[in-house]
Amino acid sequence: MVETISPVGYGDNRARWLAAVGLHAIGTTAAAAAFGAVLGSVGALTGPPAGAAGGALVGLVATAYAGREALGLPVPVPAARRQVPDWWRSFFAWPTAALLYGAGLGIGFLTFLSNGGLVVVAVAAVVSGRPLTGALLLGSFGLARGLSPLVAWRVRSREAGTALVDLLAASDPRRWRWLNAGAIASVAVTALGALPRSVATGPDGGVRAGIAVIAAGLVAGTFAWAAVAKLLHRRRWRHTLAGYSLPAVLASMLEPGLPLAELGVPLAVLLGYRREAAWLALALLAIFSVAILRSRVRGVGDEIACGCFRGGATRDYRLLLARNALLAAVAATSISAPDVPLLRWPGPPGEGEVLPFALAVTAIAMAGFTAWRTATWLRCPRHA
């Protein structure tokens, strides 16, 4: 975005360029704040694991991503790794394009992320259980991202803009990784440092229940991520599955069946069947581990295709087994989570509510149809 929104693209008109940067920052901040409010609302809906349990979760996630930056630990960063459409700037007027680019970049998980800082902030937003807190946390990220084009202040030509982008890309990655590691580690130290006081002042049973709820959420999120990755990248998942040399009938059943079984874990958690979700997760992990050992015995080698998350990457079979063991431990911890449904089905409309109910359903259907048609239109290159 530094090269896209630069003074050169606005005829070196500083006032217009600054206005575009401002609109861009408004877009990123608004989108990120709205996303943060949603995360805070999710935390409120699920019963936020406040106190020691919530602090422990933030501290552990921050520690993992600090280790990724400083030590190169293989901790994945969830992101779509896609760019916003380039044709927006040629089709829309510059104010609209700047605002759209900001909105597209505001939810960082939909584009590129180089480190896990946003993941830590997002977890903190959920743990807070407060929409306003989530909006402030994520909105700060959006504002910083939206103001990044200001580094192009001295750019006077397209060549200078390209040189600036090359200079930023050529910056010492170790220095930035250590800076990111230090910032994330400070969050971990703060969160974990507050644990003794939280444990001392909170009820012991409440802490255990909070940890169990967090464990259930981690298991649900992990299996949801794995299932969605398989469903979105079916060709890659089919190729990975073929590498296990399973019988043709079994492979044809597992191709659609395994992602659906994985989706059963988060669905059971949402419906309040957390013990059943934990046992289903343990059963799936046992099946995965047996498949890994079978491939190893059949002479595939130490490197085995994972098939989870982003698909076709290969990992050492011992690392895969260790990961499954860790997830199994988390799933076992979640068995004691209280069976409280997170989704409550509304009852039928009562007397005098039929007409408002019908109007509301119609409005929701029309809004959904309009959003779908708008998204289809915006993705279509012929409008560029």
Side-chain angles (χ1 to χ4, degrees):
M1 221 23 69
V2 171
E3 191 173 13
T4 301
I5 302 181
S6 70
V8 179
Y10 298 89
D12 204 22
N13 186 323
R14 291 287 164 170
R16 181 179 295 181
W17 173 67
L18 288 175
V21 173
L23 289 170
H24 180 68
I26 290 174
T28 56
T29 306
F35 180 54
V38 170
L39 293 180
S41 301
V42 169
L45 176 67
T46 59
L57 176 61
V58 175
L60 291 175
V61 173
T63 300
Y65 282 105
R68 179 184 186 274
E69 294 300 307
L71 306 175
L73 298 180
V75 182
V77 177
R81 293 173 176 82
R82 294 178 179 177
Q83 293 182 340
V84 290
D86 182 67
W87 59 267
W88 281 358
R89 61 178 174 178
S90 59
F91 180 76
F92 294 105
W94 66 265
T96 304
L99 193 63
L100 282 176
Y101 278 130
L105 294 174
I107 304 177
F109 296 110
L110 300 181
T111 54
F112 288 87
L113 288 178
S114 59
N115 62 78
L118 180 59
V119 182
V120 177
V121 176
V123 171
V126 175
V127 166
S128 72
R130 296 181 176 88
L132 180 58
T133 301
L136 290 175
L137 289 173
L138 273 297
S140 300
F141 163 82
L143 179 61
R145 201 174 202 189
L147 294 178
S148 60
L150 288 176
V151 300
W153 174 265
R154 297 179 181 274
V155 171
R156 292 292 187 275
S157 64
R158 296 192 181 278
E159 292 75 14
T162 302
L164 175 62
V165 173
D166 293 339
L167 178 63
L168 293 173
S171 300
D172 186 1
R174 290 176 299 177
R175 177 179 62 182
W176 293 113
R177 291 181 73 91
W178 279 106
L179 286 174
N180 290 328
I184 299 174
S186 65
V187 176
V189 170
T190 302
L192 296 177
L195 279 182
R197 180 181 300 178
S198 300
V199 173
T201 57
D204 183 58
V207 172
R208 287 198 300 269
I211 292 175
V213 170
I214 288 174
L218 289 175
V219 172
T222 301
F223 276 87
W225 183 6
V228 170
K230 291 181 178 67
L231 293 174
L232 292 180
H233 305 283
R234 296 182 61 183
R235 183 179 301 178
R236 187 186 305 167
W237 161 234
R238 190 182 304 116
H239 177 74
T240 300
L241 191 60
Y244 282 83
S245 301
L246 298 172
V249 176
L250 180 59
S252 63
M253 294 173 59
L254 288 177
E255 183 184 338
L258 188 57
L260 295 178
E262 290 176 328
L263 283 177
V265 176
L267 180 61
V269 171
L270 287 173
L271 294 177
Y273 300 104
R274 295 177 181 168
R275 293 183 181 87
E276 289 77 4
W279 287 113
L280 176 58
L282 289 171
L284 291 173
L285 289 170
I287 294 173
F288 299 157
S289 300
V290 169
I292 292 171
L293 291 173
R294 177 181 177 274
S295 297
R296 179 69 177 83
V297 170
R298 292 173 67 89
V300 174
D302 291 344
E303 296 290 325
I304 297 177
C306 172
C308 299
F309 310 121
R310 280 193 293 162
T314 59
R315 298 284 187 270
D316 189 281
Y317 77 99
R318 288 161 290 200
L319 179 61
L320 295 178
L321 291 175
R323 184 193 63 189
N324 288 351
L326 177 61
L327 283 174
V330 176
T333 303
S334 69
I335 291 177
S336 60
D339 284 337
V340 179
L342 305 184
L343 295 179
R344 300 182 183 274
W345 305 107
E351 185 178 355
E353 297 177 344
V354 176
L355 180 59
F357 175 77
L359 292 175
V361 170
T362 303
I364 292 173
M366 292 300 297
F369 176 77
T370 302
W372 170 66
R373 293 298 302 168
T374 302
T376 303
W377 183 81
L378 286 176
R379 287 196 303 265
C380 185
R382 67 173 178 268
H383 295 298

